[in-house]
Amino acid sequence: MARLIDGGQGLAVVFTWAALVSAPYGILHGKTALLNPHVLWVAVVVAVASSVLPCSLNLEALRRIPPRVFGVLTSLEPAAGAVFGLSSSTFPGRNGWV
């Protein structure tokens, strides 16, 4: 898809296609709850914040920095997420922080 469509338009097409393919499953299990405007608004915000924005930023970074630097930064993402989660968590473990 990236070869057929330039820029971030390919990403928009792919995410729209994914939403259309998964919509019948959501409609089947969610029934009329998915027609609520508040639910739709929250779904769009979650989709943009959790998928579209990170993928767009990753694609732009991959275009601008060398692949080996991108690989190192990508491999550090889980560790950074774990440190952030540990630092922002207020749940103490059995013997202090776990």
Side-chain angles (χ1 to χ4, degrees):
M1 185 57 73
R3 292 184 187 134
L4 297 175
I5 302 174
D6 292 335
Q9 295 171 350
L11 188 64
V13 169
V14 168
F15 274 104
T16 303
W17 178 251
L20 291 175
V21 168
S22 62
Y25 179 79
I27 293 169
L28 179 68
H29 292 286
K31 310 261 188 260
T32 59
L34 292 178
L35 300 176
N36 182 349
H38 178 71
V39 172
L40 288 174
W41 176 249
V42 170
V44 167
V45 169
V46 168
V48 168
S50 66
S51 298
V52 176
L53 187 62
C55 285
S56 328
L57 294 175
N58 276 342
L59 283 175
E60 284 303 314
L62 189 55
R63 289 182 183 140
R64 295 172 190 248
I65 61 177
R68 62 180 179 200
V69 175
F70 180 79
V72 170
L73 293 176
T74 302
S75 66
L76 291 175
E77 284 179 5
V83 169
F84 177 75
L86 184 63
S87 67
S88 65
S89 176
T90 58
F91 179 72
R94 185 180 300 166
N95 297 325
W97 288 103
V98 176

